[in-house]
Amino acid sequence: MNAYEQELDLPKGHPIHTYLQETAMIHQLIDELEQCDIENDYQVFYNLFNKLQTIERRFERKENQLFSFLEKCGWNGPSQNMWSFHDTIRSIFKFVREKVEARDIRGVYENFHHLSNNIRRLMLVEETVLFPNSLKILKEEDWQQMRKGEEEIGWMLSEKPAAYPEQAYVHPSEDFTQRDLSFAKAESQHYDEGYMTVEQVNLLLRTMPLDITYVDENDKVIFYNRGEERTFPRSAGIIGREVRFCHPPKSVDTVLRILEEFRKGTQSEASFWINFKGRLIYIRYFAVRDADKNYRGVIEMSQDITDIKHIDGEKRLLEWK
C-alpha cells in the first residue's frame, strides 16, 4: 500500500483503491524493465513489456468509466486532455513494440525511457489531480455504479478486485432491492415482422458478431450490445454520455461532422476500416430516420472482417471437425 492510498484509507474494491494498486504494479514493472539486461535476458524483458502494455485496460476503464461520471458532474477536462495523453502513450508503445519484436536492442534502450517517463508523468497527474478531485466530486453511488461497469473492461491486476461495496447480510424485512425475476413480466412484443420477447432480443443482440452502439437524436449514447468478444470495450457508464466524449480527441471532429451531415440529411452512411491489434476492423455509421424521414440518431457498427476478407470461391458443404 503506498502513502497516498494509506492517507485516503479507501476500502478494497473501491475504483480508486484499484487504480492505486495498479499504480504500484506499474512502477514496479517499469523499475524491473529499466534494470533488465535485455541483451542477455530478452525473454524476461519481453514478458515484462507485455505485462506493462496491459495498462491499456486501465486507460479503457478511465475513458469509459471514470471520465464518463466526471462529465456528468461538469468536469470535461480529463476526457479532453488526459485521453490525448493516453493516445500519445499508445503511440509510443506501438513504436517501442516494433523495436522489441525486431530485437533491436539499441532501439529499445534508446526509446524505452521515453515511454516510462510519459507513464510516470501520467500517474503523477492522476495521483495529484485526477484521483483527489474525483473523490471530491463524485458521490458514493457513482463509485458503486462505476465498480459494476469495470467488470466488462477488466484490470491489470492478476486477481479480480473485491466487490464494492462489500456484500453484507441484509435481513429480508429490510431488503427493498429491485431484482430481475427468472421469468418475463411482459408478453412478447410485435416488431415489423414477427414476435420476440425482450429476452430473445437481448440474446439476438448479444450473439450477433457485431459491436452495435445507438446514439439518439440528442447525441447521447442510449444503447450498446454486450457481445461475447467486443472489438472496442464498452461499459454501463457510457449510457447517457454525449457521443463526442466516447471517442479519442483526435477523431472527435470526424464524428461530429458525420452527425452534422446525417442530421441535415445530406449523408446517411459513413464507412472506415482500420488495423487494430492485428485484425482488420470495418466500422460503419448509419443515420436512423423514422417513417417521416425525421432524424432519430445514428447506429455505429464495428465488425472484425479479417477472416471474411480472405473468403474465396464457394463452400457448400458442412465441414465441422
Side-chain angles (χ1 to χ4, degrees):
M1 181 182 291
N2 60 37
Y4 179 68
E5 186 178 333
Q6 286 179 326
E7 181 181 348
L8 295 173
D9 194 25
L10 294 169
K12 292 181 179 179
H14 188 290
I16 298 298
H17 181 282
T18 302
Y19 278 121
L20 292 172
Q21 284 184 305
E22 289 180 336
T23 297
M25 173 184 172
I26 294 167
H27 279 299
Q28 181 178 348
L29 285 171
I30 291 176
D31 288 342
E32 292 179 12
L33 282 162
E34 290 177 336
Q35 296 168 15
C36 185
D37 181 357
I38 184 174
E39 193 165 3
N40 296 311
D41 293 314
Y42 171 81
Q43 192 60 49
V44 173
F45 185 94
Y46 187 83
N47 293 341
L48 289 171
F49 186 79
N50 286 342
K51 197 168 185 180
L52 179 63
Q53 198 160 12
T54 62
I55 197 172
E56 176 64 24
R57 295 177 186 170
R58 177 186 179 95
F59 291 170
E60 290 169 350
R61 288 204 323 279
K62 288 166 63 181
E63 293 164 355
N64 289 279
Q65 289 284 111
L66 181 56
F67 292 175
S68 176
F69 280 92
L70 293 175
E71 288 161 16
K72 294 175 184 177
C73 295
W75 190 21
N76 300 329
S79 302
Q80 298 171 341
N81 302 317
M82 189 168 282
W83 196 330
S84 294
F85 204 176
H86 290 176
D87 284 345
T88 297
I89 292 175
R90 286 175 171 124
S91 297
I92 302 172
F93 256 118
K94 182 178 180 181
F95 181 76
V96 178
R97 164 67 68 184
E98 293 173 354
K99 302 296 181 182
V100 172
E101 296 292 347
R103 290 185 179 242
D104 180 355
I105 309 301
R106 181 177 179 181
V108 174
Y109 278 132
E110 290 178 348
N111 293 283
F112 181 75
H113 74 281
H114 185 44
L115 175 64
S116 61
N117 288 343
N118 274 272
I119 294 175
R120 291 190 193 277
R121 177 185 165 199
L122 173 64
M123 291 191 296
L124 179 62
V125 176
E126 290 174 344
E127 290 196 30
T128 57
V129 180
L130 178 65
F131 295 158
N133 286 338
S134 297
L135 288 166
K136 292 177 183 177
I137 293 172
L138 300 180
K139 300 177 181 178
E140 177 60 22
E141 52 264 35
D142 295 327
W143 295 114
Q144 293 182 18
Q145 290 181 32
M146 195 183 304
R147 174 61 184 83
K148 292 179 182 178
E150 289 181 345
E151 297 283 344
E152 296 184 52
I153 297 175
W155 306 268
M156 294 183 69
L157 306 174
S158 57
E159 294 185 5
K160 177 179 176 180
Y164 182 79
E166 183 180 359
Q167 300 298 314
Y169 173 75
V170 178
H171 191 277
S173 64
E174 299 175 344
D175 188 357
F176 301 102
T177 303
Q178 296 293 318
R179 298 184 176 88
D180 293 333
L181 301 176
S182 58
F183 54 88
K185 290 182 178 179
E187 296 296 327
S188 59
Q189 301 295 314
H190 184 207
Y191 297 89
D192 282 350
E193 297 294 340
Y195 297 80
M196 295 181 72
T197 65
V198 172
E199 179 189 20
Q200 289 169 331
V201 172
N202 273 322
L203 289 172
L204 170 67
L205 292 167
R206 189 177 300 166
T207 306
M208 292 173 63
L210 301 167
D211 289 3
I212 301 175
T213 303
Y214 188 9
V215 178
D216 70 8
E217 61 267 34
N218 299 309
D219 297 344
K220 297 287 186 69
V221 177
I222 61 171
F223 171 85
Y224 70 93
N225 66 325
R226 291 187 176 185
E228 288 289 331
E229 297 181 4
R230 291 190 59 90
T231 301
F232 302 113
R234 295 283 186 270
S235 68
I238 200 174
I239 301 301
R241 191 178 190 184
E242 287 187 49
V243 69
R244 66 192 178 100
F245 291 127
C246 299
H247 294 268
K250 61 184 179 182
S251 64
V252 169
D253 288 343
T254 300
V255 173
L256 294 180
R257 183 186 174 192
I258 291 173
L259 294 175
E260 180 183 0
E261 298 300 327
F262 282 5
R263 183 175 280 105
K264 291 192 300 185
T266 55
Q267 299 290 338
S268 292
E269 187 267 339
S271 300
F272 307 88
W273 42 97
I274 62 172
N275 289 303
F276 182 72
K277 297 182 179 180
R279 308 293 291 179
L280 182 62
I281 309 301
Y282 190 29
I283 305 168
R284 307 179 73 185
Y285 295 84
F286 297 93
V288 178
R289 309 187 197 281
D290 61 23
D292 297 321
K293 304 300 181 182
N294 296 312
Y295 174 74
R296 300 300 299 274
V298 178
I299 291 179
E300 176 187 351
M301 298 174 59
S302 301
Q303 183 178 15
D304 184 338
I305 62 169
T306 308
D307 298 328
I308 296 175
K309 188 172 181 291
H310 295 112
I311 291 178
D312 188 25
E314 294 184 348
K315 178 182 177 181
R316 293 174 175 266
L317 300 177
L318 183 62
E319 297 176 354
W320 283 345
K321 294 182 181 180

